[in-house]
Amino acid sequence: MDVPAVARAAHERFVTSLGMPHGVRDLVADSWRRSATSGAPADGSRLPPQRRTPAELAAYRHAHPLARVLPLFRELLGTGAADDGHVFAIGDADGTLLWVEGDSATMGRAERMRFVEGAVWSESQAGTNAPGTALELAHAVQIVTGEHYSSAVHGWSCAAAPVREPGTGRLLGVVDLSGGGTIATPPALAAVRAAALAAEAELARTLPAPTALLGPDGRVLDVPEGSGVRLSALGRDSAVLESGGLVHRLSPRHSEIAVSLALEGRGVHGDRLAVDLSEREIPASTLRAEMTRLRAVLGPALLGSRPYALLRPVRSDFGEVASLLAAGRVGEALARYPGPLLPRSEAPLVVEQRRSLEEQLRGAVLGVGDTRLLRRWVAAAWGADDCAAWLALAHRLPGGSAQRAAAVARARALDSTLAVPPQLGRHAAVLQRSGS
């Protein structure tokens, strides 16, 4: 099936009749509907606006938190983008592009559709596109050719991931790769995800800690000492929320809501929360009823509305693990990780955070290369089938030992195509003699 052709045909049917957008992913169909409602142009007749002069943009960029991690983005994405004929872009939380860099010829093409520094590529202004849709959904997305809402962008593919402020979960902006067909691949999406995670870790190390708790309206809250919330959601399907000496064991759906509110930080409106909770449309009445039930459990002093928010400082077990990883304290992070975040949840925001945290932890364990940490990782349910971890453990165990033999055997059992590294050659012979 020619996916781009199918998407373009679906796009033409949708923009001419505003009927049901058949033939595209649910994520894209939902975005097209939002784009149509916002008045974004589908025919490319109106390009995204530029709302800052060069002088204003320079001052704004200098003060923006993402300026701290621009060198990191250039290292992780910039060189590769230039070599591969792509561009990479960094935008703020409103979709304004702060930096656009990469291959000069591709930059020229991007300028013709106003994918330039200072232009606003939010969904409401530019329609479905990776930076704008990633910000709208608050998780990484990939948009391919005809999936874009504006026909002016149908020759492009892009992948983008949001960047959050450590400690609060507030959206700071988005990192994007745009270009040709190789952007429409899993490695491109993985690259922007990894860049966003690396940036968040660097920001956790360099940004000053928040000095006050802000409410959903941005005002400083007067919060009595010891009145915070403790949310535990790792390794369990039903979260536990502790507040004011009370312990609330939440239902699976209320657990997803509490985790989503903790991740969103300052508060979230119902339409965004619905997207966080399900890839399928949740009727507003259903969400309101669910929030009413949760408020009955937690009390109005803890759960606010318009927007929805947890009204006291939130400490979470998944936030603590992420903070320990950002500080390089891998052993402590692993010790405090009893398992994946709400492991059975299919809520998009939870799935994204679960995957991100596990990838960060796994990468840190493999990167440190500590034998004890590797043992603990592969001994856990989530690491038992990790071929790379078993092989890394084998590399660090004494040559000829039974433990090394077991580690290599487990790695080979998980991947029958695995080539045993040269330094394990003597051990491979032992395996063959033993019939492993």
Side-chain angles (χ1 to χ4, degrees):
M1 180 185 296
D2 187 342
V3 175
V6 170
R8 288 190 180 97
H11 179 269
E12 183 176 354
R13 289 194 301 271
F14 177 74
V15 299
T16 54
S17 65
L18 289 184
M20 292 295 291
H22 297 295
V24 294
R25 295 178 291 156
D26 290 344
L27 177 152
V28 174
D30 291 342
S31 179
W32 284 0
R33 294 189 189 99
R34 290 192 300 270
S35 300
T37 301
S38 70
D43 59 1
S45 59
R46 175 168 58 83
L47 298 178
Q50 286 183 276
R51 291 180 173 168
R52 294 181 185 272
T53 66
E56 291 172 340
L57 181 63
Y60 178 59
R61 294 193 309 187
H62 179 75
H64 198 279
L66 291 183
R68 294 171 178 259
V69 290
L70 180 59
L72 178 63
F73 283 134
R74 284 173 171 157
E75 178 184 348
L76 295 176
L77 298 176
T79 302
D83 291 344
D84 294 339
H86 305 315
V87 297
F88 87 95
I90 311 300
D92 70 3
D94 294 324
T96 300
L97 301 182
L98 304 180
W99 294 275
V100 181
E101 302 177 4
D103 174 70
S104 57
T106 309
M107 292 272 288
R109 288 179 55 220
E111 288 176 7
R112 291 195 286 275
M113 64 178 186
R114 204 173 288 166
F115 192 82
V116 295
E117 295 171 352
V120 184
W121 277 74
S122 62
E123 263 196 0
S124 62
Q125 294 296 328
T128 305
N129 69 93
T133 304
L135 288 170
E136 185 68 29
L137 301 182
H139 64 71
V141 300
Q142 198 162 31
I143 303 297
V144 179
T145 59
E147 291 181 335
H148 288 90
Y149 187 67
S150 172
S151 59
V153 199
H154 281 184
W156 294 75
S157 293
C158 48
V163 182
R164 296 178 179 275
E165 181 180 57
T168 68
R170 178 172 65 96
L171 280 175
L172 292 177
V174 64
V175 55
D176 168 79
L177 273 175
S178 292
T182 55
I183 300 297
T185 59
L189 185 60
V192 293
R193 274 201 184 112
L197 291 173
E200 289 171 357
E202 179 66 11
L203 289 170
R205 189 180 67 82
T206 60
L207 278 179
T211 57
L213 177 72
L214 301 180
D217 58 0
R219 293 182 297 178
V220 176
L221 295 177
D222 181 16
V223 181
E225 185 177 354
S227 63
V229 172
R230 167 74 181 176
L231 181 62
S232 301
L234 290 178
R236 59 176 75 227
D237 295 313
S238 296
V240 173
L241 189 148
E242 303 170 60
S243 176
L246 299 177
V247 178
H248 305 281
R249 300 187 183 279
L250 306 179
S251 69
R253 177 51 110 187
H254 287 170
S255 298
E256 292 173 335
I257 293 172
V259 169
S260 295
L261 293 179
L263 290 171
E264 289 285 4
R266 292 189 176 187
V268 59
H269 292 282
D271 53 352
R272 171 64 69 83
L273 183 58
V275 171
D276 289 345
L277 294 174
S278 178
E279 291 185 348
R280 298 182 178 180
E281 185 174 354
I282 299 177
S285 58
T286 300
L287 182 60
R288 284 196 298 270
E290 202 67 67
M291 298 305 291
T292 298
R293 286 190 284 270
L294 180 57
R295 188 175 292 106
V297 173
L298 301 182
L302 181 55
L303 181 61
S305 60
R306 299 180 183 176
Y308 297 119
L310 294 171
L311 299 178
R312 295 178 184 171
V314 180
R315 292 184 301 113
S316 66
D317 53 358
F318 50 91
E320 289 171 355
V321 170
S323 296
L324 288 168
L325 288 173
R329 295 156 64 181
V330 182
E332 293 175 67
L334 184 57
R336 294 199 189 186
Y337 185 78
L341 176 66
L342 299 181
R344 295 186 183 180
S345 171
E346 296 181 359
L349 184 59
V350 175
V351 170
E352 179 72 16
Q353 183 67 15
R354 180 170 66 224
R355 182 188 299 115
S356 295
L357 186 60
E358 187 162 326
E359 286 176 354
Q360 288 182 70
L361 184 58
R362 176 181 182 272
V365 170
L366 292 176
V368 169
D370 183 286
T371 303
R372 292 173 302 169
L373 298 184
L374 287 167
R375 285 183 187 277
R376 283 161 55 187
W377 180 263
V378 299
W382 55 87
D385 294 335
D386 190 334
C387 179
W390 280 106
L391 197 56
L393 177 61
H395 273 284
R396 287 162 179 80
L397 291 170
S401 68
Q403 293 176 334
R404 193 180 201 187
V408 174
R410 179 59 176 159
R412 293 182 66 179
L414 292 169
D415 185 357
S416 60
T417 66
L418 183 68
V420 178
Q423 55 267 45
L424 298 182
R426 283 192 306 164
H427 176 62
V430 172
L431 287 177
Q432 291 172 350
R433 287 196 299 270
S434 64
S436 298

